[in-house]
Amino acid sequence: MSNIPNVLAQRYASHDITSIWSEEGKIVLEREFWIAVMKAQKELGLDIPEEAISAYESVKGKVDTKSIAERERVTRHDVKARIEEFCDLAGYEHIHKGMTSRDLTENVEQLQVFLSLNLIIEKSVSALIAIGEQAKKHSDIQLTARTHNVAAQATTLGKRFAMYGEELEKALRSTQFILSEYTVRGLKGAVGTQMDTLTLFDGDEDKVAELEAGILKHLGLPYAANAVGQVYPRSYDFEVISSLFQLASPMASFAKTLRVMAGHELASEGFAKGQVGSSAMPHKMNSRTCERINGLQVILGGYLNMASNLSGDQWNEGDVSCSVVRRLMLPDSFFAIDGLLESFLTIMQQFEIYPSVIEKENNYYLPFLLTTTILMEAVKNGGGREEVHKAIKEHAIATVRDLRNGEINENDLLEKLANDKRVGLNADKLAEILKEKGSSSGLAKPQTTKFCLSVEEWKQKFPKAGDYKPGKIL
Amino acid sequence: MSNIPNVLAQRYASHDITSIWSEEGKIVLEREFWIAVMKAQKELGLDIPEEAISAYESVKGKVDTKSIAERERVTRHDVKARIEEFCDLAGYEHIHKGMTSRDLTENVEQLQVFLSLNLIIEKSVSALIAIGEQAKKHSDIQLTARTHNVAAQATTLGKRFAMYGEELEKALRSTQFILSEYTVRGLKGAVGTQMDTLTLFDGDEDKVAELEAGILKHLGLPYAANAVGQVYPRSYDFEVISSLFQLASPMASFAKTLRVMAGHELASEGFAKGQVGSSAMPHKMNSRTCERINGLQVILGGYLNMASNLSGDQWNEGDVSCSVVRRLMLPDSFFAIDGLLESFLTIMQQFEIYPSVIEKENNYYLPFLLTTTILMEAVKNGGGREEVHKAIKEHAIATVRDLRNGEINENDLLEKLANDKRVGLNADKLAEILKEKGSSSGLAKPQTTKFCLSVEEWKQKFPKAGDYKPGKIL
Amino acid sequence: MSNIPNVLAQRYASHDITSIWSEEGKIVLEREFWIAVMKAQKELGLDIPEEAISAYESVKGKVDTKSIAERERVTRHDVKARIEEFCDLAGYEHIHKGMTSRDLTENVEQLQVFLSLNLIIEKSVSALIAIGEQAKKHSDIQLTARTHNVAAQATTLGKRFAMYGEELEKALRSTQFILSEYTVRGLKGAVGTQMDTLTLFDGDEDKVAELEAGILKHLGLPYAANAVGQVYPRSYDFEVISSLFQLASPMASFAKTLRVMAGHELASEGFAKGQVGSSAMPHKMNSRTCERINGLQVILGGYLNMASNLSGDQWNEGDVSCSVVRRLMLPDSFFAIDGLLESFLTIMQQFEIYPSVIEKENNYYLPFLLTTTILMEAVKNGGGREEVHKAIKEHAIATVRDLRNGEINENDLLEKLANDKRVGLNADKLAEILKEKGSSSGLAKPQTTKFCLSVEEWKQKFPKAGDYKPGKIL
Amino acid sequence: MSNIPNVLAQRYASHDITSIWSEEGKIVLEREFWIAVMKAQKELGLDIPEEAISAYESVKGKVDTKSIAERERVTRHDVKARIEEFCDLAGYEHIHKGMTSRDLTENVEQLQVFLSLNLIIEKSVSALIAIGEQAKKHSDIQLTARTHNVAAQATTLGKRFAMYGEELEKALRSTQFILSEYTVRGLKGAVGTQMDTLTLFDGDEDKVAELEAGILKHLGLPYAANAVGQVYPRSYDFEVISSLFQLASPMASFAKTLRVMAGHELASEGFAKGQVGSSAMPHKMNSRTCERINGLQVILGGYLNMASNLSGDQWNEGDVSCSVVRRLMLPDSFFAIDGLLESFLTIMQQFEIYPSVIEKENNYYLPFLLTTTILMEAVKNGGGREEVHKAIKEHAIATVRDLRNGEINENDLLEKLANDKRVGLNADKLAEILKEKGSSSGLAKPQTTKFCLSVEEWKQKFPKAGDYKPGKIL
């Protein structure tokens, strides 16, 4: 059983996120939580000796995961095992008073989620800023836009970045909202009625409320649930993971698009020094980091699926068929999105374009890309929309076929159109359109500028996000 | 092919929601959209004859779905078929100028989503209000709370309702946020650059912006995307369906809980007049509507899965492998959540409890439900938490086994505890605890009251929601 | 509520499959089932008048779905409604004796699944045969194989078809196995103990067994479950839908690949007469049918998700939170795979390649495609594998960059390699390799031939499958 | 990044399964694979010195995962890193000749899947045998069967086990079929054409075939794919994981049912020595292992979701967005099903029933459970089915309500029926039915016996499976 590490933590996620979820880290968080509860209880009048608190504090860093695992094997109860370990170390029995397991675990796990969500939002803003930089840098690079993977009209590379960036902005706003509303379970006792805390304080409701408020403050969180059961509703986990999936989506679409672009040699994700494309085909420069992003989104989708199966499946005041799932799904979802962000930021650093290939493609398709413009001009000139459309279509398809069959070497669409009375535009007019509009990408540039301005606002709200550099990726 | 109706629309969803998504309804919405565009275009200077607009307006209600289907069979392009049909009816060729299919379909579909989301929010508030009423009504009914489906401590039935209600409130706030941020694609042309509209207006950027603003106003929507491609990002659909799934979750958990409660005959979803429980077992009063709620959530999960597979899978400026999926997933997700809400509201109307069964259960478990209180008292009395816990556990398990084996008929736990020195509480003290705490459910009642106050605020914001009555369900 | 058809049935599925699942069709199947049970019961000695059976038979085709819906609205029980309708039509009360609802519905629904599965297997063999024809036809077309969407080595177009075909063959074998093991619930009564049938026959176990065997024969199915509850295990549905998803996978991978190939203009799915690529961009020849295939697979994935949520969620002898789900999921899964097969078969009919574009691509990449061969030769010539690999890599990457930057117009890799001592092959040797191996695709052809022979065997087992022609698609 | 273990491997899976997937274990498997290839190559005439092979063999057990990770950080290519490490250790460069990464990794991973599948089948047979034992042991325990979680008719506990067992048998047969058809990729080179191996052997096709056959024999696998690309079709992974999910389903349904039964105190999963039910409520005996089974099935569902997203998403000859997913999904799916089986086997060992509670429930519901029998008798006695049904329903519902409202203490249904002429059975006849049928569970027992006979056949095919004892669970 020895060496089976968590693949996501080991290979893809950053230290910042894994340290929130490591076994030792969590145990320390829990112990701090217990100590905070004891202190607050003492302050509210419970008889807890000062030296007991000191004893617990002095041993809180002594984390022996093997010993705890040994205890769990006997008790078959993980929290009990951790209570016993901590008490034996301290030589007292004062922690966990008036508490049930879930008073500890729910709040600590939610704290982990909260801290992770903060980190992911910050890193997503870094990604957004990186997109903004690329959008700005390439705002004048004309590009053949594709729909259905077929050349359609001209756009710019800058706008293509802006498109994904704007999608990310929306996901970020939603995730920020979720964070701002994040609600922990609080100290609610075995079934949510706070009965045991109430007993501890001899029925003093105010003290119960003060104790919870104090703990909330310790957690650094604004809201606690009011009428909750043994556990907080699992739809809260679902919402969080759903937002991670949403954050991943624009980056996943970008990655797929870059894989397609790389197939045309228009651009690539770049190549780190020393990297080997393929052990057998040394010339290959694979979009492996893009593929990884798409893979990590598939993984997030799997965890979303798990989360959706816990949400709405709670019996009575709570059940824990969710337990084994959440142990896996919560850290791994954050590891996956973190690894995805690290991968994306790396691509943003190394992204390369091949301007001469881009230009070659533009020239090849130009007359086609102008068909809608020509259609507009023909209609303005008095042509019936449907008839002109039909004529253009005939010639466009003929040109496509001739090019594909090698019968012509250059796109002769304009020539064909000039000779068709239905269109009603002569060769001169068509040449003029080509000259005037050939380098036009509509409003792609002002749209990009608008997006970049919006990114600036994010930068001001998250002043450190722009400086973040991804770690070295595998 | 004749008679295969949409099962969700036919059996579960209300007329209000299906009318938004019916074939005829959508075609009329589209035609109104085209006419609005024409009018705005004319106002901005395009040469469109008044009589053409009138002609279109006069035939906009003539919807012949068969004729349109016939046309699509030839063109293999649904929008083209609908353009041709409308133009032939009107005798003009003026619609769809400077527009691509997606300028029409994206915006109209998003309008359908927006209208549906509004309706579902309103109906969810109705559900919340109904929960609030049940919570209030049953705020004094003491109930044996269960965790792991095992009797744990006392709570109240009112609080159990409040628990699901509070989860619904959170989902509602999130859904409202999504609605408030809802962003349509706008009039962006074939690849998002607005090139054709720009051509139409001879390069006048302001007119392009004014046209879009006018259309937005027509749709009644606040935001349009800026840098978007052929289609709006499918993560927007994902977010919406994800919020529907989240809304469903508290109701699904309630339904499962009521199925468990009905198994104990503590409560039931009620029985409509004339209803047959089982064709073979006439005494059966099945939780069929609860089961339906759970089934509809499974269905929502399936659509969420589809939505997640479109999100992050967009190549370049857009692809339409999403087309067939969205035709199905968008209406059906709304039909499913609507049917779920109708089912839930019906249960809220017919919900029944069996107080004598509830009381019998309470009495049976009472000494067990008090163990944590006894533990607290023993600890306050100087006992070591772990040692007392161990003693109580031994006796509790013994009592459980004796009861189950028929060796005793009444719960004798208190007697056993009184005789154990480790506990340190005598029979009198234990009797006192039973008397004082036996009817206590901790802070269940004030929590319920707090929840009900919160419901009142929703009621004020949605003044009509409280009056909504669900339709008759199958 | 009027006009909301089932989208999949209306737009994509064939008549053959929809007729199995139409409302009327199912009701007739049910009535035939009841009559078969009555006849068998009479034969085994029950007192059922001949004229009652005749009366039922004479009205079995009178299907009035509105009247049945009306009854269900009162009874809130769908089977009860259909019993009442049929009895009122016949003027007798003899059907459904000793039966519970599930004795009817489970078996009839499983019959629908069984018939549908048969049909889908047959149609999948048609798809396999069509792939075989394409593989054969294009077995000599050399093609630049891509991995990571980057040119890798030479293959043939025929082999690319064979690759997807072989995946389909494996899925077909699995689906055939599932069909051969298909197990219906049989006549098992309310909870599976056959108590009521046993009562009907005064405790005669043999008659109970004979009755079930007779019904099985009527259904044309080999197996009935033995120890089953109220319903058959929902993992059986899961298995079926999982096999449909598996069948779809090779076609979905093919569709994605063709979308990529169309982007390079190597091939296309073809264009039906009268088809419009885009209303705004008439030259566009979109891979819309391929996209539809990918969309339909997403839909199948959604239903698979629903099926997975029913499987393993059965309480006690059975619950019906599955009811609403199965009403939707079972027919729609079959409609989706049927529509997918129709789409795929249409593409197989219209598939086009552009040989001159294919050749151009081959020439552009040829020296790269040979790098592994050169590596092999260099190693055979005494070079160290890792050192040669390093050298080739350096030059290959340099060549790629030079080509992309427009610094060279022709692939000069071989020249560069000839000048590098580490490789150890001179210009003559390299030219010889180019000449000898340039047109080689390894064993692509014999692999294709082997695949085609295997398809022949399927053809013999399914003699009609090769003649099937897909319906006109939308 | 230090201490983040794989949760499933650490807490739930057995050593047998984790050892197949450990990092070290896999590296050794790979090295053995390379050596086997070298030997076969030498035999077929390649010039590989004997001492090189010996050198590789002597270091194959020296696994330094840190050193390999270090190399990967530079090359960003995992296979390359492992080649370099092995070659440096051996001091030769002879491995991986004519191979591409996938020739190694695909086959080794498929070997891991194959070995794991074998192990899981064996352990599932152990589970089936354990079910058989429970079915036999409890074949005479009458039990109140429930549908819709409501008392329906009598069955036996033995049959309830048989029901889940029979579902497991079907899943086992399907999984065995998948194993028997398992097909590895084989040695196919970079894009599947075997070009490099062909070059290695100077175009000798027979040698290419012999090499692959030799390797297959080394793997102990019967089939290799013929026309395959860079990777084997990912639908093969999907099929395997789908079968794991199917295997889990009957155990998951059993676990849910036992959770419901435990809520009624009819039975429990048992309690290991030293186990603590709840840290706060010592009397609680939670169905935690059942809950774990349900959680592990949710996890399997998540991996199934990931698998479904790789299946049908392969571009051209292969892409590796699947890479990161498969690293996680393949081992973890097997860990999850293995942990689930360990949990299930533990429950089978500790399962307890409470006969006096079971009997109490039977008595309470008995008259209701007989309603279908009474209905049958009444019909035989000349009553109209629908009318008698109506009468019974009225009285049954009245009795239910009276019992629930505490108005009566004993079930008086028979008395009420005796007084209703529509039923047509007098008190004596009804008493007789009660006496004769009250202890009947229909054919539950012979069904159970038939199931147990079938289990015997499995036992003979898997002679060791019956002896397997699960490890201690956490």
Side-chain angles (χ1 to χ4, degrees), chain B residues 133-169:
Chain B
E133 284 162 8
Q134 295 287 350
K136 200 169 186 175
K137 185 173 168 188
H138 299 116
S139 65
D140 287 320
I141 304 285
Q142 198 183 15
L143 188 75
T144 301
R146 285 176 180 253
T147 58
H148 306 266
N149 202 27
V150 173
Q153 275 190 340
T155 188
T156 64
L157 181 54
K159 150 129 197 188
R160 191 173 272 184
F161 274 100
M163 186 174 75
Y164 297 117
E166 208 171 295
E167 186 182 358
L168 182 57
E169 275 187 285

Side-chain angles (χ1 to χ4, degrees), chain C residues 374 381 412-421 423-435:
Chain C
I374 292 165
N381 202 37
D412 67 351
L413 176 61
L414 299 189
E415 202 174 317
K416 283 174 175 158
L417 293 177
N419 293 329
D420 189 322
K421 284 177 188 170
V423 179
L425 301 170
N426 61 23
D428 287 353
K429 179 65 187 166
L430 286 163
E432 192 191 312
I433 293 172
L434 181 66
K435 199 182 161 192

Side-chain angles (χ1 to χ4, degrees), chain B residues 146-153 256 259-265 267-268 270-271 274-288 291 305 308-309 313 315 352-357 360-361 364-365 368-369 371-372 375 385 388-390 392-394 396-397 400-401 403-406 413, chain D residues 146-153 256 259-265 267-268 270-271 274-288 291 305 308-309 313 315 352-357 360-361 364-365 368-369 371-372 375 385 388-390 392-394 396-397 400-401 403-406 413:
Chain B
R146 285 176 180 253
T147 58
H148 306 266
N149 202 27
V150 173
Q153 275 190 340
K256 263 182 203 171
R259 287 165 62 193
V260 172
M261 290 172 83
H264 290 272
E265 300 191 41
S268 86
F271 230 41
Q275 186 180 343
V276 170
S278 154
S279 67
M281 294 164 287
H283 68 284
K284 289 197 72 184
M285 294 158 75
N286 299 333
S287 303
R288 60 192 291 284
E291 290 172 342
N305 182 275
S308 76
N309 280 314
D313 188 34
W315 300 7
E352 283 181 26
I353 62 167
Y354 307 108
S356 71
V357 182
K360 213 167 128 191
E361 186 186 52
Y364 184 82
Y365 287 115
F368 294 148
L369 308 188
T371 52
T372 54
L375 177 60
R385 196 192 175 284
V388 176
H389 185 278
K390 205 180 155 195
I392 295 178
K393 187 187 149 192
E394 281 172 26
I397 291 174
V400 167
R401 302 220 172 206
L403 281 166
R404 285 179 179 172
N405 297 334
L413 175 62
Chain D
R146 287 174 178 256
T147 58
H148 304 267
N149 202 26
V150 172
Q153 275 189 340
K256 263 182 204 171
R259 287 164 63 193
V260 172
M261 290 173 84
H264 290 273
E265 301 192 41
S268 87
F271 230 41
Q275 186 181 343
V276 171
S278 154
S279 68
M281 294 165 287
H283 68 283
K284 289 197 72 184
M285 293 157 75
N286 300 331
S287 304
R288 59 192 293 283
E291 290 172 343
N305 182 276
S308 76
N309 280 313
D313 188 34
W315 300 7
E352 284 181 26
I353 62 168
Y354 307 108
S356 71
V357 183
K360 214 168 129 191
E361 186 186 52
Y364 184 81
Y365 286 115
F368 294 149
L369 307 189
T371 51
T372 54
L375 178 60
R385 195 191 176 287
V388 176
H389 185 278
K390 205 179 154 195
I392 295 177
K393 187 186 150 193
E394 281 171 26
I397 291 174
V400 168
R401 303 220 173 208
L403 281 166
R404 286 177 178 174
N405 296 334
L413 176 61

